[in-house]
Amino acid sequence: MSDYAETASAKARALLEESVVSYMGRPVGTVAAMDPGLEALNYDQVFTRDFAISAFAFLLEGRDDIVRNFLEVAVELQSNERQFDCFKPGQGLIPASFKVETHGAGQRLAADFGEHAIARVAPVDSGFWWLLTLQAYGQATGDHTLVRTPPFQEAIRLVLDLSLVTRFDMFPTMLVPDGSFMIDRRMGVYGYPMDIQAQFYAALCAARHLLATDEPDNAPYLAAVEERLGHLAYHLRTYYWMDLGRLNQVYRYGVEEYGPTAANQFNIQPEAIPDWLMDWLPEGGGYFVGNVGPGRMDYRFFAQGNLLASAAGLSTPEQTVALMGLYDTRRADLLGDMPLKLCFPALAGDEWRTLTGCDPKNRPWSYHNGGNWPMLLWLFALVALEAGDQELLETTLHDAGRRLVREDWPEYFDGRAGRLVGRQARRRQTWTAAGYLVARHLLDRPEHAAWLRLGEHVDAAGCST
Ligand code: GLC
């Protein structure tokens, strides 16, 4: 490791340590950020999704205790009562975040299931991040006793109850409200956004490994997971995938088709193909589009869903090669000066007005709307290593490390190329440091990538291949 990389890793490690939160004398999580210059709002809480990346960093560094404690706290906080009260969290929900409150000499955990969060957004992804953290804990430590305990087995079943329930729609994908995951503001990411579907796939793969096969209560869950995995994989690989061939097919689609032989099943109007896509999509490159719904194709590129799809084995090997090809050809757009672009392109003009509701924090090329988020580096590292793209990862990390240290670990960067520290970005953001640390570690010790394995390739019948 070069000197600069040593320094950057040491600083990231120190920030991660500083961010640790204790409860009853035990470390249980990390706060989201510690920027002394900005009001904390809820950034002083332990977010389930943010902590997953801290957990991966801790596991790679051999600090298992905090991860184990976090996993236990999350089970304790999981909502486990069947609810008809619409103001209470649904059974099985894991909080978006929690904080430790001190009352006199005692301490208490206060969970937020979205009822306090800005815009009151539901954390659809929390249960999934908890499952992925639990899986990584077992893979990295070899400790499979925790997951086998009755409360943990029950907690897994509750997450599955909540996510596999049949509702009004009849698709293998999961229907979610706007802003219910990492993008936790209005951004037109409702319906069946790829970020959630890819994570759903990874979480189902994890559940399949973590549910004990000798436990009779688990049998129907294991069967349901296997079935859903096959349908979900087929659906996403077929209808969400976009490359030049597929674009041409959509461009020539017939519409208003009825019945089982329809080719254009969702009645997508070719006229809705955005102009930017025709020139932007390179020969040999491809990605999963943001959303597919009745008559709706959201052609935006979302990094987290695409990278998760590759890391979890949802993409076919050819699709992963095409995704890395896209990253390579469109480096300026998708990696930029500070990797990685969260969503491309940004919503602007009328689209920005309608879909974000004129949200100034999400104005074009800022924050979720086309900002660059270094916390994604861990995921990029996993995919790049699997695709054998060591060199791309090395250059990406080299430039990022220097800038992150200089700017003190900002939450996100703004501008088409991500050159400016985000207008409202916090500094000393924990998952920025953790994301870098994980990526750096994996580059130096690629054999540890197996500890963070997020899923496996499943065919249309739900069988691992
Ligand atoms: C922002 C992000 C969200 C993250 C939180 C804490 O709200 O959009 O994904 O969990 O900050 O870092």
Side-chain angles (χ1 to χ4, degrees):
M1 218 196 279
S2 65
D3 282 354
Y4 99 86
E6 293 271 15
T7 314
S9 292
K11 287 197 188 275
R13 206 170 287 123
L15 178 59
L16 192 60
E17 281 302 329
E18 249 182 83
S19 70
V20 169
V21 171
S22 289
Y23 172 60
M24 306 286 194
R26 300 185 317 156
V28 290
T30 49
V31 292
M34 289 172 300
D35 187 333
L38 283 175
E39 197 191 341
L41 298 174
N42 54 351
Y43 280 81
D44 56 357
Q45 302 204 13
V46 179
F47 278 76
T48 303
R49 74 174 73 86
D50 295 45
F51 182 74
I53 306 179
S54 297
F56 300 153
F58 282 127
L59 290 172
L60 292 173
E61 302 267 314
R63 263 204 70 181
D64 314 337
D65 58 330
I66 184 168
V67 181
R68 185 185 170 103
N69 297 341
F70 166 84
L71 290 166
E72 286 174 346
V73 161
V75 171
E76 203 178 308
L77 294 176
Q78 183 183 34
S79 158
N80 53 17
E81 267 169 52
R82 191 165 153 73
Q83 283 302 343
F84 290 108
D85 180 345
C86 65
F87 295 111
K88 297 245 169 77
Q91 191 180 28
L93 201 63
I94 292 205
S97 63
F98 69 84
K99 64 179 166 192
V100 178
E101 290 179 345
T102 307
H103 296 276
Q107 284 189 320
R108 171 179 103 80
L109 294 170
D112 184 359
F113 291 89
E115 71 273 42
H116 302 296
I118 294 169
R120 307 292 184 259
V121 279
V124 171
D125 60 341
S126 287
F128 298 159
W129 282 121
W130 175 78
L131 276 170
L132 296 176
T133 307
L134 178 60
Q135 172 174 256
Y137 171 80
Q139 287 167 175
T141 63
D143 171 9
H144 301 293
T145 52
L146 183 68
V147 66
R148 291 301 302 261
T149 58
F152 270 68
Q153 290 289 307
E154 174 65 5
I156 300 171
R157 288 193 295 268
L158 287 178
V159 171
L160 291 176
D161 281 337
L162 194 59
S163 40
L164 290 174
V165 68
T166 49
R167 294 194 182 89
F168 296 105
D169 63 331
M170 286 177 276
F171 293 127
T173 36
M174 216 175 136
L175 180 62
V176 302
D178 211 347
S180 58
F181 54 104
M182 186 270 158
I183 298 179
D184 55 3
R185 299 169 86 87
R186 182 171 161 190
M187 261 276 285
V189 285
Y190 56 90
Y192 306 91
M194 183 61 196
D195 279 7
I196 276 290
Q197 311 312 325
Q199 221 199 348
F200 183 30
Y201 175 91
L204 290 179
C205 287
R208 181 150 78 156
H209 278 287
L210 299 171
L211 282 173
T213 45
D214 54 0
E215 156 86 53
D217 284 353
N218 289 347
Y221 287 88
L222 284 163
V225 165
E226 181 149 322
E227 200 191 347
R228 181 64 75 93
L229 267 175
H231 295 319
L232 186 61
Y234 176 82
H235 186 93
L236 296 170
R237 284 173 199 148
T238 312
Y239 303 116
Y240 279 64
W241 184 250
M242 182 56 59
D243 55 18
L244 262 189
R246 172 81 175 127
L247 183 62
N248 215 147
Q249 185 188 16
V250 175
Y251 180 72
R252 290 166 57 83
Y253 256 164
V255 293
E256 310 298 332
E257 296 169 329
Y258 178 80
T261 55
N264 181 3
Q265 297 196 18
F266 304 106
N267 204 30
I268 286 158
Q269 305 293 331
E271 284 304 305
I273 296 175
D275 291 341
W276 63 267
L277 187 62
M278 307 227 192
D279 301 323
W280 187 75
L281 202 53
E283 187 76 52
Y287 69 103
F288 291 95
V289 296
N291 221 338
V292 177
R296 173 171 184 223
M297 188 89 109
D298 178 342
Y299 295 90
R300 283 176 292 171
F301 173 92
F302 289 87
Q304 182 163 289
N306 272 281
L307 292 170
L308 266 175
S310 280
L314 164 60
S315 347
T316 63
E318 296 75 33
Q319 287 172 336
T320 295
V321 169
L323 176 68
M324 288 318 280
L326 186 67
Y327 265 111
D328 208 26
T329 321
R330 296 287 174 235
R331 278 189 204 203
D333 291 330
L334 301 181
L335 294 173
D337 272 29
M338 174 52 71
L340 284 63
K341 185 70 76 194
L342 185 69
C343 160
F344 180 89
L347 296 168
D350 279 346
E351 271 192 322
W352 169 76
R353 267 183 282 281
T354 331
L355 287 174
T356 73
C358 299
D359 184 349
K361 194 163 179 181
N362 268 337
R363 66 187 202 295
W365 307 110
S366 184
Y367 199 47
H368 301 137
N369 187 17
N372 290 34
W373 290 69
M375 67 87 182
L376 288 167
L377 281 169
W378 72 277
L379 196 47
F380 184 73
L382 270 184
V383 178
L385 287 175
E386 198 179 314
D389 245 325
Q390 215 117 348
E391 216 182 294
L392 181 60
L393 177 59
E394 178 116 46
T395 6
T396 305
L397 282 181
H398 187 271
D399 300 341
R402 281 183 200 284
R403 183 90 201 271
L404 289 174
V405 169
R406 201 169 70 226
E407 303 288 6
D408 210 6
W409 312 98
E411 180 185 16
Y412 65 96
F413 288 74
D414 281 358
R416 266 197 90 104
R419 298 189 68 200
L420 305 177
V421 171
R423 188 173 276 170
Q424 294 186 47
R426 278 163 171 74
R427 298 196 195 248
R428 305 182 68 66
Q429 178 84 20
T430 309
W431 68 358
T432 300
Y436 175 80
L437 203 54
V438 172
R440 196 65 242 182
H441 184 112
L442 293 177
L443 182 64
D444 297 329
R445 306 284 307 269
E447 70 278 13
H448 288 171
W451 293 355
L452 305 188
R453 198 181 52 94
L454 293 169
E456 69 211 321
H457 195 75
V458 161
D459 66 17
C463 302
S464 312
T465 56

